[in-house]
Amino acid sequence: MKNILGFDVPDFIEGFGEVEHFTGSWNKLKNSIDEQIIAPPVKNTLAHTSKMRDSLEAAIDACNPHDGMTVTFHHHLREGDYIVEKVMFYLASKGIKDITLASSSLTGAHDCLVPLIKDGTIGQIFSSGIRGELGKAVSNGVMKKPVVIHSHGGRARAIKTGRINIDLAIIAASAADCEGNCTGSYGPSAFGSIGYAMIDVEYAKKTIVVSDNIIEYPCIPASIRQHYIDHVVKVDSIGDPSKIATGTTRITKSPMDLRIAEMAADAIEHSGVYKEGYSFQVGAGGASLAVAKFMRDKMKKQDIKGSFMIGGVTSYCVDMLEEGLFGAIFDVQSFDAAVSTSVYGNRNHIEISSDQYASPYNCGCMTNKLDIVVLGALEVDVDFNVNVITGADGVVRGASGGHSDTAAGAKLTVVVCPSFRGRLPMIKQKVQNVVTPGDTVDLIVTERGICVNPNSPNLSQKLKEAGLKVVDINDLKKEVDGITGIPVEPEHTEQIVGVIEYRDGTIMDVIRGVKTK
Amino acid sequence: MLYIPGNNPAMLLQGGVYGADGLLLDLEDAVALNQKDAARILVRNLIKTNNFYGCEVTVRLNHLDTPFGMADLEEIVPLQPDAIRYPKTESVEDLKRLISIVEEIEKKHNIENPKMTIHAMIETAMGVQNVFEIAAYSKRVDCITIGGQDLTADMNVVKTKEGRELDFARNRIVMAAKANKIDVIDTVYADVDDDEGLRQETEMIKGLGYSGKAVINPRQIGVIHDVYNPTEEEIRKAVRIIKEFKKNKEAGIGVFAIDGKMIDAPVVARAQYVLEVADIEL
């Protein structure tokens, strides 16, 4: 059936099950939720027994690995992660089959997993994002069951409700003690916040802390506490922290990104939401982070102080905290290893779990308190829907992340996006896949003008009065199509290779396989 | 004014979005010898079809002494961009030759009231020597510009950040422009990562009387606008002067004082200029 956004989603998907259709961004959440939160497992250890295991393999063996199990990881080490590969290949060597891999996200470091899908070790994937060779393989139909793409808040919800029912959670930490108190905020492989793993340890049947830096008890501060942890193991290295962010935390020098960012900052300034005590989130890299540079200049010039920043935190955000431009940072994920020093040493830099960050199933997620968020896009459409998961060729190459969570919560959601990339227009009649629904997006800022969602006529008026270049999104599409032409859409197979879940657990869209030439 | 290499389709297409006042579509130094034809065709087609969002469009041609200058004129003149920029203008003879060819092409294409003007680029010692005659030669020349890189090469000196080697040329060229009431645009600042250096140089040339500055990277536009745009304080002061001037004029008073400072016709003219730049009408 066609859902409320006009995307074709069947009522039943093979390998996934019955579909609860998306009916609106707040439609399900505005009523009391008729779902049970599962109880965390009851576990115990005896007095004065050791949790230390001789090897990662021994620790895994102690967790009753079995066919059909669900294994989770965090992705705080992003491109530099070594642990997912080590664990999954060990499970494969033991002949374990049909594993559900539920990493908070998957990056280019996980291209190595493709053979494990082919040989049946991995049977299903839940993740915020999939990229690289793994994304190509998924799009080519390598999985028997479709991957489930969730938001960061949606993952916390799925774990709480038992949709992701964790048998084994692996927590890579840059410092840990013998009881499993651990952190990512210091040590040779420091990566900052360990927020995505916090929810896993609460609900997993078994947990293993893996670190290349086992320190004297107690590990202070402990981002994750010992009473959740079953086993602790030392490895040579958990990953390469220099690959946490490759170029995404420096302010871009691209004139185009800077132009878009400047226009977005001007729009924010005149939106009516930017004022003393406002809260703010920007993504890493490109035009998105560059908006922070322009906002920083405006805040200094106008002597405006913000309340807090949240999110994926870059060293640029830390600079703004240290300059007193914001009072606090709530950090679920650090995009830059350098941020870890601030996580460790600044009491106003607060680590939070993905549950507190963005889950719609609690009483106080941070995104609900957010005033302004600036987000990127792979493509947008004339209904303001945003795709951040599939590229122009239809291949899975992105991540849902906190995109839909922050867009839903923020008073002002700004999407920055060039009007075309290379020869490809970025404003479509209809995005190939929707991750963030258009009714949660207020502005789409391109280098050729600012498109205001027709749901916000007052905002449009304010920006026009400030002399900013407001354009109708349909007119802009026409102009850009005039330059680039309208490309032929990629050819898809009938196979559903991915299911895009909204943060409330309803299904917004499906990803079809791409035809290989 | 933003220089854009004539053989770069992406930059040409997007040239109008950066907020520059003018675009310089370059067929000359930014284009390799084996790309000259491609650049000419690309620039021709884009002038016909592209939206430059109201930027003044100027095409920098190759000199007529090169194998490309004539072909550039034949393609570009019929399109009548806002202006053409003629490199290495050294004498009125150069302009005479250029304008006669331009007029011939315009006649051939039945262009009766040509709107296209000419920017004479001064980038040799001889050009600096003759700049007063060049600036005065024709009403079609509505702007002179200084080309720092070529000029320092001609002088056989190094172009420095401080730019003292250009002091004489900058001063002489600006005076020639002012004497003939035409615009004068300064040379580029080559270090695109040095915003502070760019700001200092722009403040300096603004102080000399230059109407604007050429840039090679869109990132430099904001700094130049910052320097040239009047500050809030300047605007407030100008508004006050013009209001007082109007009041005094009605009373038949030509010279008056604000906060103890004499306000006469030149001060009023400067205040009027500030309001023009700020797009304020009283």
Side-chain angles (χ1 to χ4, degrees), chain A residues 396-465:
Chain A
V396 179
R397 62 174 75 247
S400 168
H403 207 282
S404 63
D405 299 313
T406 51
K411 285 183 189 157
L412 179 74
T413 298
V414 182
V415 171
V416 288
C417 180
S419 63
F420 59 94
R421 291 186 175 105
R423 291 160 47 214
L424 298 166
M426 294 296 116
I427 303 166
K428 312 282 282 289
Q429 192 61 40
K430 191 176 170 195
V431 284
Q432 289 189 75
N433 291 108
V434 58
V435 170
T436 295
D439 67 334
T440 61
V441 175
D442 299 293
L443 300 176
I444 292 173
V445 181
T446 76
E447 78 286 359
R448 287 172 187 264
I450 301 166
C451 305
V452 184
N453 194 317
N455 297 340
S456 310
N458 291 342
L459 181 57
S460 177
Q461 192 58 32
K462 278 179 190 161
L463 301 189
K464 281 180 188 164
E465 280 168 9

Side-chain angles (χ1 to χ4, degrees), chain A residues 490-511:
Chain A
E491 281 191 73
H492 290 282
T493 63
E494 280 305 304
Q495 185 187 355
I496 293 175
V497 299
V499 173
I500 301 173
E501 198 182 71
Y502 191 54
R503 58 200 299 263
D504 62 8
T506 58
I507 303 306
M508 267 199 306
D509 198 4
V510 294
I511 304 168

Side-chain angles (χ1 to χ4, degrees), chain B residues 223-237:
Chain B
V223 174
I224 291 169
H225 281 171
D226 265 2
V227 173
Y228 270 93
N229 285 341
T231 62
E232 278 183 37
E233 179 54 32
E234 286 169 335
I235 294 170
R236 256 196 295 274
K237 197 173 157 192

Side-chain angles (χ1 to χ4, degrees), chain A residues 105-117:
Chain A
S105 199
L106 293 165
T107 68
H110 306 122
D111 287 351
C112 57
L113 297 179
V114 175
L116 302 192
I117 297 170

Side-chain angles (χ1 to χ4, degrees), chain A residues 209-221:
Chain A
V209 166
V210 184
S211 182
D212 47 16
N213 182 34
I214 302 294
I215 58 171
E216 285 285 310
Y217 185 88
C219 170
I220 301 171

Side-chain angles (χ1 to χ4, degrees), chain A residues 255-256 259, chain B residues 2-3 11 18 215-223:
Chain A
M256 182 56 62
R259 176 67 184 155
Chain B
L2 172 63
Y3 269 108
M11 287 178 71
Y18 295 109
V215 297
I216 47 174
N217 190 302
R219 298 201 320 258
Q220 298 179 311
I221 294 168
V223 174

Side-chain angles (χ1 to χ4, degrees), chain A residues 54-68:
Chain A
D54 292 339
S55 65
L56 180 58
E57 292 76 11
I60 293 169
D61 287 344
C63 293
N64 180 32
H66 57 273
D67 290 353

Side-chain angles (χ1 to χ4, degrees), chain A residues 288-505:
Chain A
S288 183
L289 180 60
V291 176
K293 166 187 141 59
F294 289 104
M295 292 311 297
R296 181 187 195 177
D297 293 345
K298 286 182 194 294
M299 291 172 76
K300 282 183 180 171
K301 203 170 163 188
Q302 297 157 6
D303 197 21
I304 296 270
K305 299 273 183 294
S307 170
F308 62 88
M309 300 183 86
I310 56 174
V313 173
T314 62
S315 47
Y316 203 81
C317 302
V318 171
D319 291 345
M320 292 173 84
L321 174 71
E322 288 175 355
E323 286 170 352
L325 294 176
F326 286 92
I329 291 176
F330 291 93
D331 186 347
V332 69
Q333 177 185 21
S334 310
F335 280 134
D336 180 343
V339 176
S340 52
T341 313
S342 175
V343 175
Y344 178 72
N346 190 335
R347 60 187 294 172
N348 289 15
H349 190 147
I350 303 150
E351 257 182 298
I352 56 171
S353 69
S354 54
D355 185 24
Q356 186 184 345
Y357 169 50
S359 171
Y361 279 23
N362 65 40
C363 296
C365 73
M366 296 305 303
T367 52
N368 279 359
K369 202 170 163 52
L370 185 57
D371 289 322
I372 299 168
V373 66
V374 182
L375 300 163
L378 287 174
E379 58 181 21
V380 298
D381 70 22
V382 294
D383 294 321
F384 288 72
N385 296 313
V386 184
N387 174 15
V388 282
I389 194 72
T390 43
D393 53 2
V395 172
V396 179
R397 62 174 75 247
S400 168
H403 207 282
S404 63
D405 299 313
T406 51
K411 285 183 189 157
L412 179 74
T413 298
V414 182
V415 171
V416 288
C417 180
S419 63
F420 59 94
R421 291 186 175 105
R423 291 160 47 214
L424 298 166
M426 294 296 116
I427 303 166
K428 312 282 282 289
Q429 192 61 40
K430 191 176 170 195
V431 284
Q432 289 189 75
N433 291 108
V434 58
V435 170
T436 295
D439 67 334
T440 61
V441 175
D442 299 293
L443 300 176
I444 292 173
V445 181
T446 76
E447 78 286 359
R448 287 172 187 264
I450 301 166
C451 305
V452 184
N453 194 317
N455 297 340
S456 310
N458 291 342
L459 181 57
S460 177
Q461 192 58 32
K462 278 179 190 161
L463 301 189
K464 281 180 188 164
E465 280 168 9
L468 303 184
K469 191 180 174 193
V470 174
V471 291
D472 181 282
I473 196 162
N474 292 291
D475 294 341
L476 184 57
K477 178 183 182 304
K478 204 168 157 189
E479 180 185 336
V480 175
D481 287 347
I483 297 168
T484 61
I486 300 175
V488 176
E489 293 293 328
E491 281 191 73
H492 290 282
T493 63
E494 280 305 304
Q495 185 187 355
I496 293 175
V497 299
V499 173
I500 301 173
E501 198 182 71
Y502 191 54
R503 58 200 299 263
D504 62 8

